[in-house]
Amino acid sequence: MIRVGQTSVLAGLLTFGLAASSATSALSQEQKDYAGRQIRFVSTGGPGGAFDTYMRTLIPPMEKYLNATLLPTYELLGLAAIDRVVNAPKDGSTIVLLSGEGMMTSFLYKMPGVRYDPRKMEWIGRVADEKKVIAVSPTSSFNSLADLVASNRKVLWGSVNNSDSNSDATAVMAYVTDMPAKIVLGYGGSSGVNFALANGEVDGRVASHDSAALFVRAKQYKVLATVGLSRSKMFPDIPTIAEVSPLSDDKKLILEWRANIADLGRVMITTPGTRPALLSLLRKALENALNDPLVVERLKEQQLVPAFANAEETVKLVEKSLTMLDAPHMEQVRKIALERYY
């Protein structure tokens, strides 16, 4: 026999069940396919860095939208991360957050180990751009880009290796401004470069504007200019190279090309050949997350400012990077980036 209290409980459970059934029926077939699945979310930055912060901030809203579990994974080598996603099952079970900038320069400079074609990637979207800025120590005697260009000795710039996207941006910066410069390689990641800058081993470095903003607040950087034609939203009062240095049409073209690659920024990709409906769902999940004011606020609390671009907009940036320079210009830039200042 069912008592009154039991009747109320059963009625409540029935109501809940009907609501859950209604919510489930409202899901798309792709959302139902993802329900309960595990998706490997690969970040090419280590724990505690900007990539890691973006990944961990995006996981909860994307999990909610996809009705799936996202597993944070680290793969510090960009080429290894790309190989992983390219060779993963074509079911949207692996997504990678990586530097689109490094991905493009490695491809265009024909670096060893590159086995991918950016045109064949499945782009989910851009999370943030990575405008480059010129940074020196707060105690440096260099107080402007003009000071650097007028130096009576070679200005020393720290970097990891000549395929690092910061080193090639440094080389382009030095070339278009006619700066006397030497790029010192071999530092163990950004932390090694920052240590060298603090100790006076190098005069400066080129860094992404969001990373630079963290170090400016910590009083470890002084930013002198943005490497590009438009100002950084992180440093709206800091001039661009184009505002300070007179540029020939040829040098302006090279600077614009390199700035366009930086604008590609931090991107998310998945396995080529993923079913269009699943790909669309992943794209909507990212867009939904980065348009959520709470997500944006959480990122701003970490001194990060997202700059979402959908897949179509991201593909346009990729195509522009691939076609903006003709073959002679591309070979010229390759020699500038990989040989000239070392």
Side-chain angles (χ1 to χ4, degrees), residues 83-98:
D83 282 344
R84 175 181 287 201
V85 73
V86 165
N87 295 306
K90 301 175 183 180
D91 58 1
S93 60
T94 301
I95 59 177
V96 177
L97 180 63
L98 78 165

Side-chain angles (χ1 to χ4, degrees), residues 38-108:
Q38 292 185 337
I39 301 172
R40 193 168 297 281
F41 191 153
V42 182
S43 167
T44 54
F51 275 105
D52 184 45
T53 302
Y54 276 117
M55 176 178 68
R56 293 189 177 277
T57 305
L58 289 171
I59 281 177
M62 291 186 70
E63 283 185 328
K64 182 177 179 181
Y65 189 90
L66 296 169
N67 197 22
T69 300
L70 273 62
L71 305 175
T73 308
Y74 300 101
E75 180 60 78
L76 301 187
L77 297 176
L79 291 180
I82 294 171
D83 282 344
R84 175 181 287 201
V85 73
V86 165
N87 295 306
K90 301 175 183 180
D91 58 1
S93 60
T94 301
I95 59 177
V96 177
L97 180 63
L98 78 165
S99 170
E101 180 182 23
M103 182 182 187
M104 291 303 301
T105 54
S106 293
F107 177 79
L108 289 166

Side-chain angles (χ1 to χ4, degrees), residues 209-285:
H209 62 171
D210 50 2
S211 296
L214 297 174
F215 288 98
V216 168
R217 289 183 180 88
K219 298 183 179 180
Q220 295 179 39
Y221 280 6
K222 177 169 61 177
V223 171
L224 303 184
T226 298
V227 182
L229 303 181
S230 61
R231 294 192 178 195
S232 161
K233 60 179 176 288
M234 307 291 287
F235 298 98
D237 298 327
I238 300 297
T240 67
I241 285 177
E243 291 177 70
V244 178
S245 294
L247 302 176
S248 66
D249 290 343
D250 183 74
K251 289 183 175 180
K252 186 176 181 180
L253 174 65
I254 291 172
L255 180 62
E256 183 181 2
W257 168 81
R258 188 58 187 79
N260 177 79
I261 291 180
D263 283 344
L264 187 57
R266 305 179 196 269
V267 294
M268 191 179 291
I269 60 174
T270 192
T271 307
T274 296
R275 195 166 82 236
L278 288 177
L279 184 58
S280 176
L281 188 65
L282 288 169
R283 289 169 173 170
K284 289 176 182 176

Side-chain angles (χ1 to χ4, degrees), residues 6-26:
Q6 290 175 312
T7 303
S8 300
V9 171
L10 288 173
L13 289 172
L14 180 60
T15 301
F16 176 80
L18 289 171
S21 175
S22 175
T24 301
S25 63

Side-chain angles (χ1 to χ4, degrees), residues 25 55 58 65 77 109 112 115 119 150 165 170 177 204 227 249 296 301 309 314 328 341:
S25 63
M55 176 178 68
L58 289 171
Y65 189 90
L77 297 176
Y109 296 155
R115 294 184 291 273
R119 287 191 173 101
S165 58
T170 304
T177 60
V227 182
D249 290 343
V296 173
E301 288 171 0
T314 303
Y341 295 98

